[in-house]
Amino acid sequence: MSNETNESNVKAPKVKTARLTRSIGGRIKNFFIYNPPGKNPRVWELDLLRGILILAVTFDHFFMFLDQWQFIPFKTEIGQKIMEFAYVYRNSSFRNAMQPFALFLFSFLSGLNCRFTRSSFRRVLKFWIFCAVFMGGFALLRVLLPNMLDVYLIFNIITVLTISFTVWWLFDLIRLPTWIRASIGTVLIVVGMVCYYKYFVEGNFSVQNDFLALMVYNDHGFELSKNNFEPLLPHLGWFLIGGVIGKFAYPDNKTHCKQVYPPKPLRPLLLIGKHSLFFFLVGPVIVFAPLWLVVLIIGLFL
């Protein structure tokens, strides 16, 4: 009897390890499958929008980092032209004025996505852990690479989305009526857009209080988080409105397109949209790494 017990105790950890391995392997495999077997088809028109948006954000981040850090050792005239374009683009009024609208749309789509995911404390906790790791990683890089990162990152879109998902979870927890969510979202958008206009158009808006300066677009907010600053408003407002519209636009959680499953040529772009937050962070790295190797090792025409 004791031998059988000992054998079962030995087998149990092996079984658990095997299940864990299969689980991790399954998740990695499903990461590269747009519609995993056994799950409902995704609303692919929203993933398409997110994918296009992430490509635009990656383009923006690539040239911003390229001009700011200049760590690609371009050797030819073409490479210098790329650097000149990066400088002009980064400092253009077009970029400064239009970049926030891409993040407004990103916040709106993130709110819309609440329709298709369960609002739970576990989900919110994951966002806070992710936010802490991201902000902590930036702080560590600032210590390790002081010449490249000489400013603080306090408030950006990752923090904004973490707060937004938390607010939506709290609203679900207290069962706040939809019309009140819509009203709050509308007010927050109006306040945020007024401050956007005062800062970007009139150019003379500032909030001296450190805490309130992180709420809206203003001079002091950019001073506090100079490397990347995205205030809470109007992003939270767009998130709430997206969550409200999602309830009415997708009552049955199904696509409005005639094709339930998307065309195959769109799959790569849809995967980017499906994992938008992941590619939002690693997109520039995916572009920079091979380019750096090509320029440094091969040279080519750059």
Side-chain angles (χ1 to χ4, degrees):
M1 186 70 180
S2 59
N3 291 336
E4 293 179 358
T5 302
N6 291 335
E7 290 179 2
S8 63
N9 289 336
V10 172
K11 291 180 179 179
K14 292 183 178 180
V15 172
K16 291 181 179 179
T17 302
R19 289 177 179 175
L20 180 61
T21 303
R22 287 197 298 268
S23 176
I24 295 175
R27 290 183 180 182
I28 294 175
K29 181 180 178 181
N30 287 340
F31 183 91
F32 297 98
I33 300 176
Y34 181 64
N35 278 309
K39 293 189 176 182
N40 294 328
R42 293 181 62 86
V43 180
W44 62 271
E45 63 266 29
L46 298 182
D47 288 329
L48 181 62
L49 285 175
R50 278 193 293 266
I52 295 172
L53 183 60
I54 293 303
L55 288 183
V57 171
T58 300
F59 173 89
D60 176 81
H61 285 176
F62 172 78
F63 286 105
M64 181 183 71
F65 296 150
L66 184 62
D67 178 65
Q68 181 177 3
W69 295 335
Q70 301 185 11
F71 52 75
I72 300 293
F74 289 116
K75 302 174 183 178
T76 69
E77 186 175 345
I78 294 178
Q80 293 306 312
K81 291 295 183 182
I82 294 175
M83 291 299 300
E84 290 175 10
F85 174 80
Y87 173 80
V88 172
Y89 171 76
R90 183 191 175 198
N91 296 281
S92 66
S93 57
F94 170 80
R95 176 188 179 273
N96 292 332
M98 295 304 297
Q99 183 202 24
F101 284 92
L103 295 178
F104 297 164
L105 178 58
F106 191 67
S107 298
F108 174 81
L109 292 174
S110 297
L112 201 64
N113 194 58
C114 288
R115 174 63 192 174
F116 310 101
T117 55
R118 189 176 65 177
S119 181
S120 64
F121 176 75
R122 183 179 179 182
R123 181 167 178 249
V124 171
L125 181 61
K126 286 182 178 179
F127 262 93
W128 278 105
I129 293 174
F130 175 78
C131 183
V133 171
F134 175 79
M135 302 297 282
F138 185 91
L140 179 61
L141 285 176
R142 187 177 181 276
V143 175
L144 298 176
L145 304 171
N147 294 330
M148 294 177 62
L149 298 175
D150 57 350
V151 292
Y152 287 99
L153 176 62
I154 300 177
F155 224 77
N156 73 335
I157 193 63
I158 302 299
T159 311
V160 167
L161 288 178
T162 300
I163 295 174
S164 298
F165 278 109
T166 303
V167 170
W168 189 263
W169 170 70
L170 291 173
F171 284 174
D172 282 348
L173 196 65
I174 63 176
R175 298 181 180 179
L176 192 70
T178 301
W179 70 270
I180 296 182
R181 303 186 194 204
S183 300
I184 294 174
T186 302
V187 170
L188 297 182
I189 289 175
V190 170
V191 173
M193 292 307 296
V194 167
C195 295
Y196 170 88
Y197 178 84
K198 286 182 173 293
Y199 178 76
F200 284 104
V201 180
E202 296 182 353
N204 59 353
F205 185 63
S206 183
V207 178
Q208 296 306 313
N209 181 275
D210 288 352
F211 176 76
L212 295 179
L214 299 176
M215 299 297 105
V216 295
Y217 288 105
N218 68 97
D219 289 328
H220 189 46
F222 280 94
E223 291 173 357
L224 292 173
S225 187
K226 189 175 181 180
N227 199 69
N228 183 212
F229 173 61
E230 298 299 334
L232 188 62
L233 307 182
H235 296 88
L236 175 57
W238 287 116
F239 183 96
L240 295 178
I241 292 299
V244 169
I245 291 178
K247 290 187 174 183
F248 298 99
Y250 295 95
D252 53 359
N253 295 349
K254 295 182 180 179
T255 180
H256 290 306
C257 297
K258 291 182 179 180
Q259 293 181 248
V260 176
Y261 292 94
K264 289 184 178 180
L266 294 178
R267 297 290 173 83
L269 188 57
L270 292 173
L271 274 174
I272 294 175
K274 178 182 178 180
H275 306 294
S276 56
L277 194 58
F278 173 80
F279 285 102
F280 180 89
L281 294 176
V282 305
V285 178
I286 294 175
V287 178
F288 269 121
L291 180 61
W292 183 83
L293 289 174
V294 166
V295 173
L296 187 66
I297 300 175
I298 304 177
L300 288 182
F301 53 86
L302 297 174

